Amino acid sequence: FDNFFPLSATAFFVNNATSLGYSFDGGIIWAEASNNSTFAGMDLVFTSPSTGYITSTSGLQRTTDTGKTWKNVLPKYTNGIWLFNTGKGICYTTDSFKTTTDGINWAQGYNLSLGNPVQTFYTMFFSDNNHGWICAMEKIGKTADGGVNWTTQVRPHQAVDIQFINNLTGFYCSPDEIYKTTDGGNTWTRICKIADKRILEIFFLDENTGWACGLD
């Protein structure tokens, strides 16, 4: 699978290029919700056990029945998405889009202002309604105003996935290494190397406890 999204301590969602899976018992039993050749394995987010979004080359798709059926709510190439608990959200591709209706309707958003990292854009993470990071192979971008403005951060190695546990402490992974910051991404320190593995996703409960998943 390409994406892992934990909605809670017991509700998990995963997807790859053609299918969506979920578990509501902490990962003991998994079910395949649907098989859809247009998923393209881009980015995945759920706001409730029934409502979720998948970005794809054919557009942003929304489900309200735990992935059984999907509706295209933004018919443009989409890559990364984040929805806040306020009903607002942002979605990035070669253009930027924003929502104030919990993803039902989308309008033109803010300029990404990071050059053009979207071709190697992997994921986006917000630690609160203002502080967020975009993780791309070429660069890491940071915002402190909810995505209105972005600045580029220096990273030691290519970036595949990123997560922060607060506004200062976070982690990102390259295909075979994991890095940590304690100053909001201004500086990064390598904390481990996982040989011969292609890491795709990381997830941390706190500063000490986390998971990394890869192809092998």
Side-chain angles (χ1 to χ4, degrees), residues 167-205:
N167 291 343
L168 294 177
T169 302
F171 303 85
Y172 91 79
C173 68
S174 70
D176 60 351
E177 297 173 323
I178 297 178
Y179 293 83
K180 179 181 178 180
T181 181
T182 56
D183 58 10
N186 294 325
T187 59
W188 296 89
T189 302
R190 191 181 79 171
I191 58 173
C192 72
K193 180 176 177 65
I194 304 177
D196 301 325
K197 307 291 182 183
R198 183 184 171 190
I199 306 173
L200 295 176
E201 290 264 323
I202 54 174
F203 176 74
F204 281 82
L205 285 177

PDB file of all heavy atoms in Angstrom, residues 167-205:
ATOM      1  N   ASN A 167       4.312  21.651  17.075  1.00  0.00           N
ATOM      2  CA  ASN A 167       4.809  22.651  16.124  1.00  0.00           C
ATOM      3  C   ASN A 167       6.324  22.661  15.976  1.00  0.00           C
ATOM      4  O   ASN A 167       6.846  23.304  15.056  1.00  0.00           O
ATOM      5  CB  ASN A 167       4.344  24.048  16.544  1.00  0.00           C
ATOM      6  CG  ASN A 167       2.851  24.226  16.382  1.00  0.00           C
ATOM      7  OD1 ASN A 167       2.201  23.448  15.687  1.00  0.00           O
ATOM      8  ND2 ASN A 167       2.300  25.230  17.033  1.00  0.00           N
ATOM      9  N   LEU A 168       7.041  21.975  16.852  1.00  0.00           N
ATOM     10  CA  LEU A 168       8.502  21.985  16.817  1.00  0.00           C
ATOM     11  C   LEU A 168       9.109  20.625  16.489  1.00  0.00           C
ATOM     12  O   LEU A 168      10.090  20.539  15.759  1.00  0.00           O
ATOM     13  CB  LEU A 168       9.063  22.473  18.160  1.00  0.00           C
ATOM     14  CG  LEU A 168       8.773  23.928  18.529  1.00  0.00           C
ATOM     15  CD1 LEU A 168       9.329  24.230  19.912  1.00  0.00           C
ATOM     16  CD2 LEU A 168       9.354  24.883  17.504  1.00  0.00           C
ATOM     17  N   THR A 169       8.555  19.555  17.019  1.00  0.00           N
ATOM     18  CA  THR A 169       9.155  18.224  16.894  1.00  0.00           C
ATOM     19  C   THR A 169       8.473  17.426  15.793  1.00  0.00           C
ATOM     20  O   THR A 169       7.246  17.254  15.796  1.00  0.00           O
ATOM     21  CB  THR A 169       9.055  17.453  18.220  1.00  0.00           C
ATOM     22  OG1 THR A 169       9.705  18.211  19.244  1.00  0.00           O
ATOM     23  CG2 THR A 169       9.727  16.091  18.104  1.00  0.00           C
ATOM     24  N   GLY A 170       9.282  16.946  14.848  1.00  0.00           N
ATOM     25  CA  GLY A 170       8.736  16.186  13.740  1.00  0.00           C
ATOM     26  C   GLY A 170       9.751  15.254  13.126  1.00  0.00           C
ATOM     27  O   GLY A 170      10.935  15.245  13.496  1.00  0.00           O
ATOM     28  N   PHE A 171       9.291  14.457  12.163  1.00  0.00           N
ATOM     29  CA  PHE A 171      10.109  13.453  11.504  1.00  0.00           C
ATOM     30  C   PHE A 171       9.820  13.466  10.008  1.00  0.00           C
ATOM     31  O   PHE A 171       8.704  13.766   9.587  1.00  0.00           O
ATOM     32  CB  PHE A 171       9.789  12.056  12.050  1.00  0.00           C
ATOM     33  CG  PHE A 171       9.958  11.912  13.530  1.00  0.00           C
ATOM     34  CD1 PHE A 171       8.939  12.276  14.406  1.00  0.00           C
ATOM     35  CD2 PHE A 171      11.134  11.406  14.068  1.00  0.00           C
ATOM     36  CE1 PHE A 171       9.094  12.151  15.779  1.00  0.00           C
ATOM     37  CE2 PHE A 171      11.297  11.272  15.435  1.00  0.00           C
ATOM     38  CZ  PHE A 171      10.266  11.649  16.293  1.00  0.00           C
ATOM     39  N   TYR A 172      10.830  13.162   9.228  1.00  0.00           N
ATOM     40  CA  TYR A 172      10.581  12.862   7.820  1.00  0.00           C
ATOM     41  C   TYR A 172      11.451  11.681   7.414  1.00  0.00           C
ATOM     42  O   TYR A 172      12.472  11.387   8.049  1.00  0.00           O
ATOM     43  CB  TYR A 172      10.810  14.085   6.920  1.00  0.00           C
ATOM     44  CG  TYR A 172      12.198  14.272   6.355  1.00  0.00           C
ATOM     45  CD1 TYR A 172      12.637  13.528   5.255  1.00  0.00           C
ATOM     46  CD2 TYR A 172      13.068  15.230   6.877  1.00  0.00           C
ATOM     47  CE1 TYR A 172      13.903  13.711   4.723  1.00  0.00           C
ATOM     48  CE2 TYR A 172      14.326  15.427   6.341  1.00  0.00           C
ATOM     49  CZ  TYR A 172      14.739  14.660   5.268  1.00  0.00           C
ATOM     50  OH  TYR A 172      15.990  14.835   4.731  1.00  0.00           O
ATOM     51  N   CYS A 173      11.028  10.989   6.366  1.00  0.00           N
ATOM     52  CA  CYS A 173      11.794   9.834   5.897  1.00  0.00           C
ATOM     53  C   CYS A 173      12.193  10.024   4.450  1.00  0.00           C
ATOM     54  O   CYS A 173      11.467  10.613   3.646  1.00  0.00           O
ATOM     55  CB  CYS A 173      11.001   8.538   6.070  1.00  0.00           C
ATOM     56  SG  CYS A 173       9.551   8.384   5.000  1.00  0.00           S
ATOM     57  N   SER A 174      13.386   9.537   4.137  1.00  0.00           N
ATOM     58  CA  SER A 174      13.822   9.317   2.766  1.00  0.00           C
ATOM     59  C   SER A 174      13.540   7.840   2.480  1.00  0.00           C
ATOM     60  O   SER A 174      12.993   7.135   3.330  1.00  0.00           O
ATOM     61  CB  SER A 174      15.305   9.642   2.637  1.00  0.00           C
ATOM     62  OG  SER A 174      16.079   8.667   3.318  1.00  0.00           O
ATOM     63  N   PRO A 175      13.867   7.316   1.318  1.00  0.00           N
ATOM     64  CA  PRO A 175      13.592   5.906   1.067  1.00  0.00           C
ATOM     65  C   PRO A 175      14.272   4.940   2.041  1.00  0.00           C
ATOM     66  O   PRO A 175      13.805   3.810   2.195  1.00  0.00           O
ATOM     67  CB  PRO A 175      14.103   5.700  -0.365  1.00  0.00           C
ATOM     68  CG  PRO A 175      13.932   7.036  -0.998  1.00  0.00           C
ATOM     69  CD  PRO A 175      14.273   8.019   0.075  1.00  0.00           C
ATOM     70  N   ASP A 176      15.364   5.344   2.694  1.00  0.00           N
ATOM     71  CA  ASP A 176      16.043   4.403   3.587  1.00  0.00           C
ATOM     72  C   ASP A 176      16.517   5.028   4.903  1.00  0.00           C
ATOM     73  O   ASP A 176      17.242   4.390   5.659  1.00  0.00           O
ATOM     74  CB  ASP A 176      17.242   3.759   2.876  1.00  0.00           C
ATOM     75  CG  ASP A 176      18.280   4.781   2.434  1.00  0.00           C
ATOM     76  OD1 ASP A 176      17.996   5.993   2.516  1.00  0.00           O
ATOM     77  OD2 ASP A 176      19.368   4.359   2.013  1.00  0.00           O
ATOM     78  N   GLU A 177      16.091   6.264   5.206  1.00  0.00           N
ATOM     79  CA  GLU A 177      16.531   6.932   6.428  1.00  0.00           C
ATOM     80  C   GLU A 177      15.375   7.703   7.060  1.00  0.00           C
ATOM     81  O   GLU A 177      14.427   8.081   6.376  1.00  0.00           O
ATOM     82  CB  GLU A 177      17.685   7.898   6.126  1.00  0.00           C
ATOM     83  CG  GLU A 177      18.936   7.224   5.606  1.00  0.00           C
ATOM     84  CD  GLU A 177      19.979   8.225   5.152  1.00  0.00           C
ATOM     85  OE1 GLU A 177      19.588   9.258   4.585  1.00  0.00           O
ATOM     86  OE2 GLU A 177      21.176   7.976   5.368  1.00  0.00           O
ATOM     87  N   ILE A 178      15.478   7.949   8.374  1.00  0.00           N
ATOM     88  CA  ILE A 178      14.501   8.764   9.081  1.00  0.00           C
ATOM     89  C   ILE A 178      15.240   9.894   9.788  1.00  0.00           C
ATOM     90  O   ILE A 178      16.263   9.665  10.438  1.00  0.00           O
ATOM     91  CB  ILE A 178      13.695   7.937  10.090  1.00  0.00           C
ATOM     92  CG1 ILE A 178      12.878   6.859   9.358  1.00  0.00           C
ATOM     93  CG2 ILE A 178      12.751   8.836  10.896  1.00  0.00           C
ATOM     94  CD1 ILE A 178      12.094   5.955  10.277  1.00  0.00           C
ATOM     95  N   TYR A 179      14.708  11.109   9.643  1.00  0.00           N
ATOM     96  CA  TYR A 179      15.313  12.307  10.226  1.00  0.00           C
ATOM     97  C   TYR A 179      14.359  12.927  11.237  1.00  0.00           C
ATOM     98  O   TYR A 179      13.128  12.778  11.130  1.00  0.00           O
ATOM     99  CB  TYR A 179      15.635  13.331   9.137  1.00  0.00           C
ATOM    100  CG  TYR A 179      16.728  12.890   8.196  1.00  0.00           C
ATOM    101  CD1 TYR A 179      16.447  12.065   7.119  1.00  0.00           C
ATOM    102  CD2 TYR A 179      18.038  13.307   8.382  1.00  0.00           C
ATOM    103  CE1 TYR A 179      17.445  11.661   6.239  1.00  0.00           C
ATOM    104  CE2 TYR A 179      19.048  12.915   7.505  1.00  0.00           C
ATOM    105  CZ  TYR A 179      18.750  12.084   6.452  1.00  0.00           C
ATOM    106  OH  TYR A 179      19.742  11.691   5.593  1.00  0.00           O
ATOM    107  N   LYS A 180      14.921  13.656  12.196  1.00  0.00           N
ATOM    108  CA  LYS A 180      14.137  14.291  13.248  1.00  0.00           C
ATOM    109  C   LYS A 180      14.529  15.754  13.394  1.00  0.00           C
ATOM    110  O   LYS A 180      15.691  16.116  13.223  1.00  0.00           O
ATOM    111  CB  LYS A 180      14.364  13.567  14.584  1.00  0.00           C
ATOM    112  CG  LYS A 180      13.601  14.160  15.761  1.00  0.00           C
ATOM    113  CD  LYS A 180      13.913  13.397  17.050  1.00  0.00           C
ATOM    114  CE  LYS A 180      13.194  13.995  18.245  1.00  0.00           C
ATOM    115  NZ  LYS A 180      13.499  13.263  19.497  1.00  0.00           N
ATOM    116  N   THR A 181      13.539  16.597  13.725  1.00  0.00           N
ATOM    117  CA  THR A 181      13.783  17.999  14.027  1.00  0.00           C
ATOM    118  C   THR A 181      13.135  18.350  15.357  1.00  0.00           C
ATOM    119  O   THR A 181      12.107  17.767  15.728  1.00  0.00           O
ATOM    120  CB  THR A 181      13.220  18.929  12.936  1.00  0.00           C
ATOM    121  OG1 THR A 181      13.506  20.289  13.264  1.00  0.00           O
ATOM    122  CG2 THR A 181      11.723  18.770  12.786  1.00  0.00           C
ATOM    123  N   THR A 182      13.718  19.273  16.079  1.00  0.00           N
ATOM    124  CA  THR A 182      13.117  19.794  17.313  1.00  0.00           C
ATOM    125  C   THR A 182      12.962  21.309  17.259  1.00  0.00           C
ATOM    126  O   THR A 182      12.659  21.935  18.269  1.00  0.00           O
ATOM    127  CB  THR A 182      13.964  19.405  18.546  1.00  0.00           C
ATOM    128  OG1 THR A 182      15.299  19.873  18.370  1.00  0.00           O
ATOM    129  CG2 THR A 182      13.968  17.892  18.751  1.00  0.00           C
ATOM    130  N   ASP A 183      13.159  21.889  16.063  1.00  0.00           N
ATOM    131  CA  ASP A 183      13.019  23.334  15.913  1.00  0.00           C
ATOM    132  C   ASP A 183      12.125  23.697  14.726  1.00  0.00           C
ATOM    133  O   ASP A 183      12.360  24.671  14.029  1.00  0.00           O
ATOM    134  CB  ASP A 183      14.391  23.996  15.780  1.00  0.00           C
ATOM    135  CG  ASP A 183      15.212  23.458  14.600  1.00  0.00           C
ATOM    136  OD1 ASP A 183      14.645  22.704  13.770  1.00  0.00           O
ATOM    137  OD2 ASP A 183      16.405  23.780  14.515  1.00  0.00           O
ATOM    138  N   GLY A 184      11.108  22.873  14.497  1.00  0.00           N
ATOM    139  CA  GLY A 184      10.145  23.181  13.453  1.00  0.00           C
ATOM    140  C   GLY A 184      10.614  22.942  12.042  1.00  0.00           C
ATOM    141  O   GLY A 184       9.998  23.415  11.092  1.00  0.00           O
ATOM    142  N   GLY A 185      11.708  22.197  11.878  1.00  0.00           N
ATOM    143  CA  GLY A 185      12.213  21.877  10.549  1.00  0.00           C
ATOM    144  C   GLY A 185      13.341  22.763  10.077  1.00  0.00           C
ATOM    145  O   GLY A 185      13.801  22.615   8.936  1.00  0.00           O
ATOM    146  N   ASN A 186      13.825  23.653  10.932  1.00  0.00           N
ATOM    147  CA  ASN A 186      14.966  24.487  10.535  1.00  0.00           C
ATOM    148  C   ASN A 186      16.238  23.653  10.389  1.00  0.00           C
ATOM    149  O   ASN A 186      17.068  23.909   9.510  1.00  0.00           O
ATOM    150  CB  ASN A 186      15.180  25.607  11.551  1.00  0.00           C
ATOM    151  CG  ASN A 186      14.029  26.599  11.563  1.00  0.00           C
ATOM    152  OD1 ASN A 186      13.442  26.886  10.528  1.00  0.00           O
ATOM    153  ND2 ASN A 186      13.689  27.098  12.732  1.00  0.00           N
ATOM    154  N   THR A 187      16.407  22.658  11.263  1.00  0.00           N
ATOM    155  CA  THR A 187      17.536  21.725  11.176  1.00  0.00           C
ATOM    156  C   THR A 187      17.017  20.313  11.369  1.00  0.00           C
ATOM    157  O   THR A 187      16.030  20.084  12.095  1.00  0.00           O
ATOM    158  CB  THR A 187      18.602  22.026  12.247  1.00  0.00           C
ATOM    159  OG1 THR A 187      18.012  21.929  13.556  1.00  0.00           O
ATOM    160  CG2 THR A 187      19.187  23.418  12.041  1.00  0.00           C
ATOM    161  N   TRP A 188      17.684  19.358  10.716  1.00  0.00           N
ATOM    162  CA  TRP A 188      17.283  17.952  10.780  1.00  0.00           C
ATOM    163  C   TRP A 188      18.488  17.092  11.137  1.00  0.00           C
ATOM    164  O   TRP A 188      19.600  17.348  10.676  1.00  0.00           O
ATOM    165  CB  TRP A 188      16.722  17.488   9.437  1.00  0.00           C
ATOM    166  CG  TRP A 188      15.461  18.175   9.034  1.00  0.00           C
ATOM    167  CD1 TRP A 188      15.344  19.329   8.315  1.00  0.00           C
ATOM    168  CD2 TRP A 188      14.128  17.757   9.338  1.00  0.00           C
ATOM    169  NE1 TRP A 188      14.030  19.658   8.143  1.00  0.00           N
ATOM    170  CE2 TRP A 188      13.259  18.709   8.754  1.00  0.00           C
ATOM    171  CE3 TRP A 188      13.590  16.656  10.028  1.00  0.00           C
ATOM    172  CZ2 TRP A 188      11.873  18.598   8.848  1.00  0.00           C
ATOM    173  CZ3 TRP A 188      12.217  16.547  10.116  1.00  0.00           C
ATOM    174  CH2 TRP A 188      11.366  17.505   9.536  1.00  0.00           C
ATOM    175  N   THR A 189      18.251  16.039  11.930  1.00  0.00           N
ATOM    176  CA  THR A 189      19.295  15.085  12.324  1.00  0.00           C
ATOM    177  C   THR A 189      18.852  13.676  11.968  1.00  0.00           C
ATOM    178  O   THR A 189      17.721  13.278  12.271  1.00  0.00           O
ATOM    179  CB  THR A 189      19.570  15.155  13.844  1.00  0.00           C
ATOM    180  OG1 THR A 189      19.961  16.483  14.184  1.00  0.00           O
ATOM    181  CG2 THR A 189      20.672  14.184  14.229  1.00  0.00           C
ATOM    182  N   ARG A 190      19.734  12.931  11.324  1.00  0.00           N
ATOM    183  CA  ARG A 190      19.396  11.550  10.985  1.00  0.00           C
ATOM    184  C   ARG A 190      19.389  10.699  12.252  1.00  0.00           C
ATOM    185  O   ARG A 190      20.353  10.721  13.026  1.00  0.00           O
ATOM    186  CB  ARG A 190      20.400  10.974   9.991  1.00  0.00           C
ATOM    187  CG  ARG A 190      19.941   9.635   9.403  1.00  0.00           C
ATOM    188  CD  ARG A 190      20.948   9.068   8.435  1.00  0.00           C
ATOM    189  NE  ARG A 190      22.062   8.436   9.140  1.00  0.00           N
ATOM    190  CZ  ARG A 190      22.997   7.712   8.535  1.00  0.00           C
ATOM    191  NH1 ARG A 190      22.972   7.561   7.218  1.00  0.00           N
ATOM    192  NH2 ARG A 190      23.969   7.175   9.219  1.00  0.00           N
ATOM    193  N   ILE A 191      18.306   9.963  12.489  1.00  0.00           N
ATOM    194  CA  ILE A 191      18.218   9.134  13.687  1.00  0.00           C
ATOM    195  C   ILE A 191      18.350   7.647  13.383  1.00  0.00           C
ATOM    196  O   ILE A 191      18.640   6.858  14.277  1.00  0.00           O
ATOM    197  CB  ILE A 191      16.910   9.398  14.463  1.00  0.00           C
ATOM    198  CG1 ILE A 191      15.688   9.133  13.580  1.00  0.00           C
ATOM    199  CG2 ILE A 191      16.886  10.819  15.002  1.00  0.00           C
ATOM    200  CD1 ILE A 191      14.375   9.207  14.342  1.00  0.00           C
ATOM    201  N   CYS A 192      18.125   7.240  12.136  1.00  0.00           N
ATOM    202  CA  CYS A 192      18.329   5.821  11.807  1.00  0.00           C
ATOM    203  C   CYS A 192      18.408   5.630  10.307  1.00  0.00           C
ATOM    204  O   CYS A 192      17.942   6.469   9.524  1.00  0.00           O
ATOM    205  CB  CYS A 192      17.229   4.943  12.400  1.00  0.00           C
ATOM    206  SG  CYS A 192      15.633   5.110  11.592  1.00  0.00           S
ATOM    207  N   LYS A 193      19.008   4.535   9.919  1.00  0.00           N
ATOM    208  CA  LYS A 193      19.070   4.105   8.522  1.00  0.00           C
ATOM    209  C   LYS A 193      18.544   2.688   8.453  1.00  0.00           C
ATOM    210  O   LYS A 193      18.961   1.825   9.243  1.00  0.00           O
ATOM    211  CB  LYS A 193      20.497   4.162   7.977  1.00  0.00           C
ATOM    212  CG  LYS A 193      20.614   3.721   6.515  1.00  0.00           C
ATOM    213  CD  LYS A 193      22.040   3.885   6.010  1.00  0.00           C
ATOM    214  CE  LYS A 193      22.186   3.378   4.584  1.00  0.00           C
ATOM    215  NZ  LYS A 193      21.408   4.175   3.626  1.00  0.00           N
ATOM    216  N   ILE A 194      17.613   2.440   7.552  1.00  0.00           N
ATOM    217  CA  ILE A 194      17.046   1.107   7.363  1.00  0.00           C
ATOM    218  C   ILE A 194      17.544   0.597   6.025  1.00  0.00           C
ATOM    219  O   ILE A 194      17.085   1.034   4.970  1.00  0.00           O
ATOM    220  CB  ILE A 194      15.514   1.140   7.417  1.00  0.00           C
ATOM    221  CG1 ILE A 194      15.048   1.754   8.740  1.00  0.00           C
ATOM    222  CG2 ILE A 194      14.934  -0.262   7.249  1.00  0.00           C
ATOM    223  CD1 ILE A 194      13.556   1.900   8.859  1.00  0.00           C
ATOM    224  N   ALA A 195      18.499  -0.292   6.054  1.00  0.00           N
ATOM    225  CA  ALA A 195      19.185  -0.738   4.837  1.00  0.00           C
ATOM    226  C   ALA A 195      18.263  -1.556   3.947  1.00  0.00           C
ATOM    227  O   ALA A 195      17.452  -2.354   4.421  1.00  0.00           O
ATOM    228  CB  ALA A 195      20.419  -1.551   5.204  1.00  0.00           C
ATOM    229  N   ASP A 196      18.402  -1.344   2.658  1.00  0.00           N
ATOM    230  CA  ASP A 196      17.739  -2.162   1.638  1.00  0.00           C
ATOM    231  C   ASP A 196      16.225  -2.153   1.751  1.00  0.00           C
ATOM    232  O   ASP A 196      15.562  -3.115   1.366  1.00  0.00           O
ATOM    233  CB  ASP A 196      18.245  -3.606   1.699  1.00  0.00           C
ATOM    234  CG  ASP A 196      19.739  -3.703   1.479  1.00  0.00           C
ATOM    235  OD1 ASP A 196      20.254  -2.910   0.678  1.00  0.00           O
ATOM    236  OD2 ASP A 196      20.387  -4.543   2.118  1.00  0.00           O
ATOM    237  N   LYS A 197      15.664  -1.096   2.293  1.00  0.00           N
ATOM    238  CA  LYS A 197      14.211  -0.973   2.374  1.00  0.00           C
ATOM    239  C   LYS A 197      13.796   0.346   1.729  1.00  0.00           C
ATOM    240  O   LYS A 197      14.437   1.374   1.912  1.00  0.00           O
ATOM    241  CB  LYS A 197      13.716  -0.984   3.819  1.00  0.00           C
ATOM    242  CG  LYS A 197      14.196  -2.175   4.643  1.00  0.00           C
ATOM    243  CD  LYS A 197      13.569  -3.466   4.165  1.00  0.00           C
ATOM    244  CE  LYS A 197      14.023  -4.632   5.025  1.00  0.00           C
ATOM    245  NZ  LYS A 197      13.475  -5.910   4.541  1.00  0.00           N
ATOM    246  N   ARG A 198      12.694   0.341   1.025  1.00  0.00           N
ATOM    247  CA  ARG A 198      12.161   1.577   0.471  1.00  0.00           C
ATOM    248  C   ARG A 198      11.007   2.035   1.357  1.00  0.00           C
ATOM    249  O   ARG A 198       9.898   1.522   1.284  1.00  0.00           O
ATOM    250  CB  ARG A 198      11.683   1.389  -0.965  1.00  0.00           C
ATOM    251  CG  ARG A 198      11.198   2.694  -1.574  1.00  0.00           C
ATOM    252  CD  ARG A 198      10.636   2.510  -2.957  1.00  0.00           C
ATOM    253  NE  ARG A 198      10.007   3.739  -3.397  1.00  0.00           N
ATOM    254  CZ  ARG A 198       9.256   3.831  -4.496  1.00  0.00           C
ATOM    255  NH1 ARG A 198       9.078   2.781  -5.263  1.00  0.00           N
ATOM    256  NH2 ARG A 198       8.693   4.969  -4.821  1.00  0.00           N
ATOM    257  N   ILE A 199      11.263   3.017   2.229  1.00  0.00           N
ATOM    258  CA  ILE A 199      10.249   3.505   3.148  1.00  0.00           C
ATOM    259  C   ILE A 199       9.279   4.420   2.398  1.00  0.00           C
ATOM    260  O   ILE A 199       9.694   5.308   1.662  1.00  0.00           O
ATOM    261  CB  ILE A 199      10.896   4.274   4.318  1.00  0.00           C
ATOM    262  CG1 ILE A 199      11.950   3.418   5.008  1.00  0.00           C
ATOM    263  CG2 ILE A 199       9.831   4.693   5.332  1.00  0.00           C
ATOM    264  CD1 ILE A 199      12.742   4.164   6.053  1.00  0.00           C
ATOM    265  N   LEU A 200       7.998   4.191   2.613  1.00  0.00           N
ATOM    266  CA  LEU A 200       6.975   5.003   1.964  1.00  0.00           C
ATOM    267  C   LEU A 200       6.219   5.886   2.947  1.00  0.00           C
ATOM    268  O   LEU A 200       5.787   6.982   2.601  1.00  0.00           O
ATOM    269  CB  LEU A 200       5.966   4.102   1.233  1.00  0.00           C
ATOM    270  CG  LEU A 200       6.510   3.287   0.067  1.00  0.00           C
ATOM    271  CD1 LEU A 200       5.428   2.382  -0.488  1.00  0.00           C
ATOM    272  CD2 LEU A 200       7.054   4.191  -1.022  1.00  0.00           C
ATOM    273  N   GLU A 201       6.009   5.416   4.192  1.00  0.00           N
ATOM    274  CA  GLU A 201       5.212   6.147   5.161  1.00  0.00           C
ATOM    275  C   GLU A 201       5.818   6.010   6.549  1.00  0.00           C
ATOM    276  O   GLU A 201       6.405   4.967   6.881  1.00  0.00           O
ATOM    277  CB  GLU A 201       3.768   5.601   5.204  1.00  0.00           C
ATOM    278  CG  GLU A 201       2.961   5.898   3.982  1.00  0.00           C
ATOM    279  CD  GLU A 201       2.107   7.143   4.133  1.00  0.00           C
ATOM    280  OE1 GLU A 201       1.578   7.402   5.229  1.00  0.00           O
ATOM    281  OE2 GLU A 201       1.951   7.868   3.138  1.00  0.00           O
ATOM    282  N   ILE A 202       5.660   7.067   7.364  1.00  0.00           N
ATOM    283  CA  ILE A 202       5.992   7.002   8.779  1.00  0.00           C
ATOM    284  C   ILE A 202       4.800   7.520   9.573  1.00  0.00           C
ATOM    285  O   ILE A 202       4.001   8.309   9.072  1.00  0.00           O
ATOM    286  CB  ILE A 202       7.253   7.817   9.134  1.00  0.00           C
ATOM    287  CG1 ILE A 202       7.120   9.268   8.652  1.00  0.00           C
ATOM    288  CG2 ILE A 202       8.502   7.153   8.574  1.00  0.00           C
ATOM    289  CD1 ILE A 202       8.250  10.176   9.094  1.00  0.00           C
ATOM    290  N   PHE A 203       4.684   7.062  10.815  1.00  0.00           N
ATOM    291  CA  PHE A 203       3.642   7.554  11.708  1.00  0.00           C
ATOM    292  C   PHE A 203       4.152   7.464  13.136  1.00  0.00           C
ATOM    293  O   PHE A 203       4.621   6.403  13.569  1.00  0.00           O
ATOM    294  CB  PHE A 203       2.354   6.744  11.575  1.00  0.00           C
ATOM    295  CG  PHE A 203       1.299   7.174  12.562  1.00  0.00           C
ATOM    296  CD1 PHE A 203       0.622   8.362  12.376  1.00  0.00           C
ATOM    297  CD2 PHE A 203       1.016   6.403  13.675  1.00  0.00           C
ATOM    298  CE1 PHE A 203      -0.328   8.780  13.289  1.00  0.00           C
ATOM    299  CE2 PHE A 203       0.062   6.819  14.597  1.00  0.00           C
ATOM    300  CZ  PHE A 203      -0.614   8.002  14.401  1.00  0.00           C
ATOM    301  N   PHE A 204       4.068   8.569  13.872  1.00  0.00           N
ATOM    302  CA  PHE A 204       4.546   8.623  15.245  1.00  0.00           C
ATOM    303  C   PHE A 204       3.414   8.989  16.190  1.00  0.00           C
ATOM    304  O   PHE A 204       2.665   9.940  15.939  1.00  0.00           O
ATOM    305  CB  PHE A 204       5.681   9.653  15.376  1.00  0.00           C
ATOM    306  CG  PHE A 204       7.010   9.146  14.894  1.00  0.00           C
ATOM    307  CD1 PHE A 204       7.320   9.166  13.544  1.00  0.00           C
ATOM    308  CD2 PHE A 204       7.943   8.639  15.781  1.00  0.00           C
ATOM    309  CE1 PHE A 204       8.532   8.696  13.082  1.00  0.00           C
ATOM    310  CE2 PHE A 204       9.162   8.161  15.335  1.00  0.00           C
ATOM    311  CZ  PHE A 204       9.464   8.185  13.982  1.00  0.00           C
ATOM    312  N   LEU A 205       3.289   8.219  17.290  1.00  0.00           N
ATOM    313  CA  LEU A 205       2.342   8.555  18.351  1.00  0.00           C
ATOM    314  C   LEU A 205       2.879   9.674  19.230  1.00  0.00           C
ATOM    315  O   LEU A 205       2.134  10.523  19.704  1.00  0.00           O
ATOM    316  CB  LEU A 205       2.063   7.333  19.227  1.00  0.00           C
ATOM    317  CG  LEU A 205       1.154   6.247  18.649  1.00  0.00           C
ATOM    318  CD1 LEU A 205       1.055   5.089  19.626  1.00  0.00           C
ATOM    319  CD2 LEU A 205      -0.225   6.806  18.353  1.00  0.00           C
TER     320      LEU A 205
END
